């Protein structure tokens, strides 16, 4: 119970890393002190709630399970309120935590997941202020009109529909005015809280989250870098996927805090109503999203997991710095229990309800895994969770065999390994891999026929 409390509270506190080791309250003013105090109080309340609510209860008993479920819900809502009130970096990490299905209990990922589509918004007056400060001219000299209601609000910025002076419709992404100014103070506050939790609970390691945020947040606060990423994404993906469109930045209207883009009509990738009304194929979207996702070291690990090759799993885990926790690492990657992994997930019965039954007790070890692996693996973990979440929302419970994303990931990994075997003239391995690919693709054909038959029955 305390493990869950510390993981949730400290992860929320670790929304970003400090740029310095200075006193987190120094230089923040009254508002900074209030934000610091609010964060500290929330962390204390979460930890105290778990400690006192579960005191005297027998772990694994029905009463314990009922009480801890209520505490999870209360604590998740407290952290959600903290993110909404403190805003900025706090919201950013709340969104990141919502994807950590393998680490946090369901109430945390569900409640904090609301931050993806329901983040606090800035007023239109503040939006105009940022535009005028960054472009050093009045907003009306750039835009004929700006919709005062944002069409989307996120942790660091929000987006408004607007029209340029010539009538061209555009989308204007504007950073919240206080995010950049407060980021250093917020990071110092959160770094201090993480240090405090680490001293109180020595089994928990959150340096991985600190390091990741220290590297990524400055680039996320620079919209000129985002414009470059948009250009790269357009070159890599537009044309390959008919349902995907990446807007282009408007020349001369990009700054550190403002990004003016083409206005593209569309919907969220998991918006079933939008997908249905536009007659898009949900299964095809899942397939094509999964085609973007593979790398060589991950491919070798995945092959060992599907074969139940424990020596191969351990070798891959060793190369990634967490060999002593290779079993847990394989479970986190595959989303399957150790029983299924050790038997070979391609040969074990699949259940959409399967989960790590000991996850709550393994939280300290999970944080060790996340701290040990290369930083690229953190991105793979997050992408893995997002892909599974998208598939679940688009296709629901699987009617036939393992999840579609699971099968497609296996296909992508084996195809990558087959190409490497061909290049290395390892003909035996290449032949084995090609045979397995033929079987997987036969499974995909059967799956598509099954889905088509089921859909025709339902429509009838």
């Amino acid at each position: 119970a305390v493990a869950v409390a510390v993981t949730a509270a400290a992860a929320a506190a670790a929304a970003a890393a400090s740029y310095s080791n200075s006193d987190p309250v120094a230089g923040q003013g009254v508002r900074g002190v209030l934000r610091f105090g609010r964060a500290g109080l929330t962390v204390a309340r979460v930890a105290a709630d778990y400690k006192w609510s579960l005191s005297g209860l027998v772990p694994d008993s029905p009463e314990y399970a009922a009480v801890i479920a209520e505490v999870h819900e209360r604590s998740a809502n407290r952290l959600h309120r903290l993110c909404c009130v403190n805003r900025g970096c706090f919201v950013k990490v709340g969104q990141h935590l919502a994807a950590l299905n393998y680490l946090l209990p369901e109430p945390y990922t569900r409640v904090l997941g609301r931050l993806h589509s329901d983040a606090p918004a800035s007023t239109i007056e503040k939006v105009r202020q940022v535009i005028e400060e960054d472009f050093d001219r009045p907003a009306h000299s750039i835009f004929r009109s700006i919709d005062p209601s944002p069409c989307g609000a996120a942790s660091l910025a929000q987006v408004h529909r607007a029209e340029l002076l010539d009538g061209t419709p555009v989308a204007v992404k504007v950073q919240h005015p206080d995010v950049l100014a407060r980021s250093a103070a917020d990071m110092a506050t959160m770094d201090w809280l993480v240090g405090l939790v680490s001293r109180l609970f020595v089994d928990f390691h959150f340096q991985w989250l600190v390091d990741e945020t220290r590297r990524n947040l400055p680039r996320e606060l620079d919209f000129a870098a985002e414009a470059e990423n948009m250009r790269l994404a357009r070159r890599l993906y537009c044309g390959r996927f008919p349902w995907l469109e990446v807007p282009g930045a408007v020349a001369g209207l990009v700054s550190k805090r403002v990004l003016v883009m083409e206005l593209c009509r569309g919907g969220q990738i998991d918006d079933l109503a939008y997908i249905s009304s536009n007659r898009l194929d949900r299964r095809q979207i899942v397939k094509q999203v999964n085609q973007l996702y593979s790398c060589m070291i991950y491919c070798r690990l995945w092959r060992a997991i599907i074969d139940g090759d424990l020596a191969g799993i351990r070798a891959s885990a060793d190369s990634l710095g967490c060999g002593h926790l290779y079993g847990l690492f394989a479970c986190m990657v595959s989303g399957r229990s150790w029983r299924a992994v050790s038997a070979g997930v391609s040969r074990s019965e699949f259940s959409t309800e399967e989960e790590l039954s000991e996850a709550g007790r393994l939280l300290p070890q999970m944080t060790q895994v996340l701290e040990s692996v290369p930083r690229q693996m953190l991105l793979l973990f997050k992408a893995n969770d997002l892909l599974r979440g998208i598939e679940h929302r688009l296709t629901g419970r699987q009617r036939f065999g393992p999840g579609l994303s699971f099968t497609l990931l296996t296909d992508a990994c084996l195809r990558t390994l087959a190409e490497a075997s061909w290049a290395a003239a390892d003909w035996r391995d290449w032949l084995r891999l090609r045979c397995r690919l033929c079987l997987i693709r036969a499974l995909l054909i059967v799956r598509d026929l099954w889905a088509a038959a089921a859909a025709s029955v339902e429509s009838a």
Side-chain angles (χ1 to χ4, degrees):
V2 174
V4 173
V6 174
T7 300
S18 167
Y19 284 138
S20 69
N21 294 321
S22 61
D23 181 351
V25 181
Q28 294 192 42
V30 175
R31 288 185 179 180
V33 172
L34 288 175
R35 289 160 63 80
F36 174 80
R38 192 182 295 123
L41 180 60
T42 300
V43 170
R45 290 183 67 189
V46 169
D49 195 1
Y50 278 95
K51 181 175 179 62
W52 299 114
S53 297
L54 301 171
S55 178
L57 298 181
V58 178
D60 299 327
S61 67
E63 184 182 4
Y64 182 95
V67 172
I68 198 171
E70 295 174 358
V71 181
H72 285 338
E73 194 74 28
R74 286 197 300 270
S75 300
N77 280 293
R78 285 178 180 134
L79 294 178
H80 181 268
R81 285 194 296 273
L82 172 67
C83 292
C84 288
V85 176
N86 274 12
R87 304 178 62 171
C89 300
F90 287 83
V91 174
K92 188 67 183 175
V93 159
Q95 293 172 336
H96 176 73
L97 295 177
L100 298 181
N101 297 28
Y102 52 85
L103 188 60
L104 294 178
E106 185 272 342
Y108 288 98
T109 57
R110 171 172 48 80
V111 173
L112 294 176
R114 298 201 298 261
L115 296 170
H116 285 291
S117 56
D118 192 24
S122 298
T123 64
I124 186 62
E125 292 76 20
K126 290 184 177 180
V127 167
R128 290 181 180 276
Q129 175 188 338
V130 172
I131 292 173
E132 293 175 355
E133 288 176 353
D134 273 35
F135 292 133
D136 197 26
R137 49 180 164 151
H140 63 74
S141 69
I142 304 172
F143 304 103
R144 175 187 294 179
S145 64
I146 302 176
D147 188 338
S149 299
C151 54
S155 56
L156 305 181
Q158 62 194 55
V159 178
H160 291 257
R161 292 182 178 88
E163 284 188 1
L164 298 178
L165 295 179
D166 62 2
T168 303
V170 292
V172 185
K173 183 174 182 179
V174 182
Q175 196 172 111
H176 298 306
D178 53 357
V179 168
L180 189 60
R182 291 180 177 177
S183 60
D186 282 351
M187 287 185 284
T189 297
M190 290 182 255
D191 195 38
W192 182 85
L193 288 171
V194 169
L196 175 62
V197 170
S198 298
R199 287 192 293 272
L200 294 175
F201 301 92
V202 295
D203 288 337
F204 292 84
H205 309 277
F206 297 101
Q207 191 60 43
W208 59 274
L209 186 55
V210 170
D211 292 342
E212 278 302 286
T213 311
R214 179 183 291 116
R215 182 170 68 250
N216 294 330
L217 187 61
R219 285 187 60 80
E220 292 191 45
L221 290 171
D222 184 355
F223 288 176
E226 182 169 337
E228 287 297 323
N229 290 336
M230 288 167 53
R231 281 189 279 272
L232 177 61
R234 283 169 66 90
R235 188 170 76 248
L236 291 176
Y237 304 128
C238 283
R240 292 180 58 190
F241 307 108
W243 47 268
L244 176 65
E245 188 169 356
V246 179
V250 177
L253 292 179
V254 177
S255 70
K256 192 175 184 67
R257 297 187 297 167
V258 181
L259 175 57
V260 181
M261 304 166 279
E262 299 170 350
L263 182 63
C264 298
R265 305 291 178 178
Q268 286 190 194
I269 196 169
D270 58 352
D271 185 342
L272 290 176
Y274 179 86
I275 290 172
S276 177
S277 64
N278 286 272
R279 298 181 179 179
L280 299 175
D281 187 337
R282 292 179 292 173
R283 295 171 58 79
Q284 191 65 21
I285 292 174
V286 173
K287 285 183 179 180
Q288 292 176 338
V289 168
N290 275 272
Q291 290 172 8
L292 305 178
Y293 180 54
S294 68
C295 70
M296 183 59 68
I297 192 166
Y298 193 82
C299 292
R300 294 193 183 100
L301 171 64
W302 192 258
R303 181 183 186 180
I305 289 174
I306 63 175
D307 288 342
D309 177 6
L310 302 189
I313 293 172
R314 182 154 197 166
S316 295
D318 278 335
S319 67
L320 292 169
C322 55
H324 61 300
L325 294 169
Y326 71 97
L328 179 59
F329 177 61
C331 294
M332 291 170 66
V333 168
S334 64
R336 305 291 299 273
S337 68
W338 175 242
R339 179 181 299 177
V341 170
S342 57
V345 293
S346 63
R347 297 188 292 269
S348 60
E349 183 179 353
F350 182 87
S351 168
T352 55
E353 310 301 326
E354 187 175 356
E355 61 184 4
L356 299 178
S357 59
E358 297 297 313
R361 297 179 181 178
L362 294 173
L363 285 172
Q365 290 84 357
M366 286 184 177
T367 62
Q368 288 182 42
V369 170
L370 294 172
E371 186 178 49
S372 302
V373 297
R375 302 302 91 186
Q376 294 89 336
M377 280 302 302
L378 295 179
L379 178 60
L380 289 174
F381 274 131
K382 187 173 182 180
N384 212 350
D385 289 332
L386 290 173
L387 289 174
R388 289 170 183 159
I390 289 170
E391 179 187 9
H392 178 74
R393 288 187 290 273
L394 291 182
T395 62
R397 183 184 296 275
Q398 299 298 324
R399 285 190 172 92
F400 186 79
L404 180 60
S405 63
F406 185 96
T407 307
L408 288 165
L409 180 57
T410 301
D411 179 272
C413 289
L414 294 185
R415 186 173 64 251
T416 301
L417 292 173
E419 292 170 358
S421 295
W422 178 272
D426 188 348
W427 310 122
R428 288 187 179 181
D429 192 51
W430 176 84
L431 184 59
R432 284 195 295 268
L433 290 166
R434 295 304 304 179
C435 289
R436 295 192 69 171
L437 282 169
C438 289
L439 291 174
I440 290 171
R441 287 167 186 179
L443 173 64
L444 288 171
I445 292 172
V446 172
R447 186 195 297 276
D448 286 338
L449 292 173
W450 180 281
S456 64
V457 169
E458 288 177 359
S459 61

